[in-house]
């Protein structure tokens, strides 16, 4: 039996919601680094301030990039790439877990980034998913068209100014 020892895990969450559960689970641990890019402010769960950085042995192992509505691909790349590159250099993880979430897809242009499409399980195994959803307990949330690939009814305006993004990068200390 092959045994692999994982010393360090990097958990990257680009879901629209803060990765509050995973962050809380490892808040005082130094083996798991959490990085969450999420909508912040008057939005569920209301956590993930940029100053929330972990505690005890886990201090500096929780990183948060709080965003405003409508971040576009270019703005997201300008924020995501340098932060993740620096996190990879500093923490040198053995394993990287990417949580992209289903709720980052509807009307969110950053979900179209090629990396996400490549990492989807269906793409990795060469299976095309049907657009029509089967009935399930969450079916009503996908109305009125009840399809997997929803189209935004109205394009969102990017409310993340270059100054906002620079502030986030500088708070990480890597501007």
């Amino acid at each position: 039996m092959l045994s692999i020892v994982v010393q360090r895990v990097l958990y990257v969450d680009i879901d629209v919601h803060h990765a509050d559960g995973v962050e809380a689970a490892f808040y005082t641990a130094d083996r798991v680094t959490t990085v969450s890019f999420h909508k912040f402010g008057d939005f569920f769960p209301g956590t993930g301030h940029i100053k929330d950085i972990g505690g005890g042995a886990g201090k500096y192992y929780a990183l948060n990039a709080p965003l405003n509505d409508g971040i576009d691909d270019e703005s997201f790349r300008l924020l995501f790439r340098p932060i993740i590159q620096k996190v990879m250099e500093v923490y040198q993880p053995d394993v990287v877990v990417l949580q992209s979430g289903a709720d980052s897809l509807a009307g969110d242009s950053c979900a179209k980034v090629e990396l996400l499409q490549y990492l989807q399980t269906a793409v990795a195994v060469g299976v095309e998913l049907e657009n029509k959803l089967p009935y399930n307990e969450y079916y009503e949330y996908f109305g009125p068209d009840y399809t997997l690939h929803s189209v935004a009814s109205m394009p969102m305006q990017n409310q993340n100014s270059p100054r906002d993004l620079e502030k986030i990068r500088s708070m990480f200390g890597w501007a």
Side-chain angles (χ1 to χ4, degrees), residues 38-113:
H38 54 273
K39 182 176 175 179
F40 186 72
D42 188 19
F43 188 71
F44 180 83
T47 56
H49 192 280
I50 197 164
K51 293 181 180 179
D52 296 338
I53 58 171
K59 190 171 184 180
Y60 305 116
Y61 285 82
L63 305 171
N64 289 290
L67 302 168
N68 297 317
D69 280 334
I71 191 160
D72 59 41
D73 287 347
E74 188 57 27
S75 296
F76 188 77
R77 281 187 200 102
L78 289 173
L79 185 67
F80 183 84
R81 287 181 179 175
I83 289 173
I84 294 302
Q85 181 178 3
K86 190 65 172 185
V87 167
M88 295 292 284
E89 289 172 14
V90 171
Y91 295 102
Q92 300 180 357
D94 298 312
V95 174
V96 177
V97 176
L98 174 65
Q99 201 299 74
S100 58
D103 56 6
S104 64
L105 300 178
D108 184 355
S109 63
C110 80
K112 296 175 186 164
V113 177

Side-chain angles (χ1 to χ4, degrees), residues 8-9 16 24 32 34 38 47 58 74 77-78 82-83 99 103-104 112 124 135 141 145-146 153 157 169:
R8 302 187 71 138
V9 175
V16 71
V32 177
T34 60
H38 54 273
T47 56
E74 188 57 27
R77 281 187 200 102
L78 289 173
I83 289 173
Q99 201 299 74
D103 56 6
S104 64
K112 296 175 186 164
Y135 186 79
Y141 292 107
D145 60 353
Y146 307 101
S153 58
Q157 179 182 3
R169 282 192 295 272

Side-chain angles (χ1 to χ4, degrees), residues 105 120 128-133 145 147-151:
L105 300 178
Q120 291 175 349
E128 178 102 14
L129 297 176
E130 287 191 37
N131 197 31
K132 181 94 172 125
L133 290 174
D145 60 353
T147 58
L148 177 63
H149 305 291
S150 56
V151 178

Side-chain angles (χ1 to χ4, degrees), residues 8-23:
R8 302 187 71 138
V9 175
L10 171 59
Y11 180 88
V12 180
D13 189 316
I14 60 171
D15 187 294
V16 71
H17 297 98
H18 175 237
D20 59 327
V22 176
E23 180 180 284

